[in-house]
Amino acid sequence: YNKGLSYYALGKYKEANKCFADVLVIKNDDHEAWTYKGITNRLIGKNDDAIKDLQKATQLKPDYYFPDYNLGYSLRENKLYEEAILMQNKCISLKINYSSAYHERGLCYDYLNNFAKAIEDYTKSIEIDKFYVAYNNRGLIYKKQKDYKKALDDFNQCIAINPDYSNVYHNRALLYEEM
């Protein structure tokens, strides 16, 4: 298991995935191994396998937020937005101030064109830990709504927090063109 975490930390996801699979041969009820096997499956492009692994992890440890969050993430990547929202709701019920879950749920609402709820979740993510990508994504919604001042404020705040996040510069340039 620890070897798998080491490979994971190094970005060697295939090797990490194999280590977690090996753990599960010996101890099939290890919810952490199922969780990280699911995460690494997603990272190597096997999202359907990731979903199955993460479902197993949530069954084994239903009161732990992390597998729920990652299952929701994988469901969103498969465009199963309503199911992903349900998983992020469960995650948030278990860990109320988990910024990433609000951001993930916001993405789902955004893809479903429920911009009011997306803004609400991006705002909550920002309130918890000033997550720079949430500023960018909220700014994109404000841009769609033609609320250019709020969009510009969010893009600038994103840059202030993380000037290396290149997507926001592109988004801000498109905003300037539209203004």
Side-chain angles (χ1 to χ4, degrees):
Y1 176 78
N2 288 334
K3 186 176 179 182
L5 288 177
S6 295
Y7 279 130
Y8 175 80
L10 293 170
K12 296 182 176 190
Y13 303 124
K14 284 183 182 177
E15 293 88 343
N17 186 273
K18 172 140 180 29
C19 290
F20 298 127
D22 290 345
V23 169
L24 292 168
V25 169
I26 299 164
K27 189 175 179 202
N28 195 40
D29 64 347
D30 187 322
H31 73 92
E32 290 177 329
W34 281 110
T35 299
Y36 279 98
K37 184 172 176 276
I39 293 168
T40 54
N41 266 325
R42 183 182 73 233
L43 292 169
I44 62 175
K46 296 181 177 181
N47 210 40
D48 291 336
D49 290 340
I51 290 170
K52 291 175 192 167
D53 293 341
L54 292 161
Q55 286 171 331
K56 179 72 173 176
T58 62
Q59 291 167 0
L60 289 169
K61 190 79 169 172
D63 59 343
Y64 185 48
Y65 75 95
F66 196 58
D68 297 325
Y69 166 76
N70 282 286
L71 177 54
Y73 190 115
S74 292
L75 290 166
R76 178 188 54 80
E77 292 221 329
N78 273 14
K79 300 182 180 176
L80 299 169
Y81 304 124
E82 298 290 347
E83 291 177 53
I85 288 169
L86 294 175
M87 292 314 303
Q88 297 307 345
N89 288 344
K90 183 176 176 224
C91 176
I92 290 166
S93 76
L94 295 169
K95 188 167 182 171
I96 192 78
N97 284 323
Y98 193 47
S99 173
S100 296
Y102 288 100
H103 183 259
E104 271 298 312
R105 191 172 68 180
L107 286 170
C108 293
Y109 285 131
D110 199 343
Y111 291 130
L112 292 170
N113 294 319
N114 188 337
F115 299 132
K117 285 194 172 195
I119 287 172
E120 186 179 316
D121 278 346
Y122 292 148
T123 301
K124 185 67 174 176
S125 178
I126 290 164
E127 288 170 356
I128 293 169
D129 75 1
K130 301 240 183 266
F131 186 45
Y132 66 93
V133 179
Y135 276 108
N136 179 70
N137 291 343
R138 190 175 69 177
L140 288 170
I141 292 175
Y142 287 143
K143 180 180 172 286
K144 288 178 200 171
Q145 296 176 332
K146 306 218 181 292
D147 192 338
Y148 298 131
K149 181 185 178 339
K150 285 183 178 177
L152 184 59
D153 288 346
D154 273 358
F155 293 151
N156 287 337
Q157 190 61 41
C158 179
I159 291 166
I161 294 168
N162 185 353
D164 296 327
Y165 184 60
S166 61
N167 290 353
V168 72
Y169 293 100
H170 175 76
N171 293 333
R172 188 173 68 174
L174 292 175
L175 174 67
Y176 283 140
E177 278 184 6
E178 195 173 308
M179 291 173 69

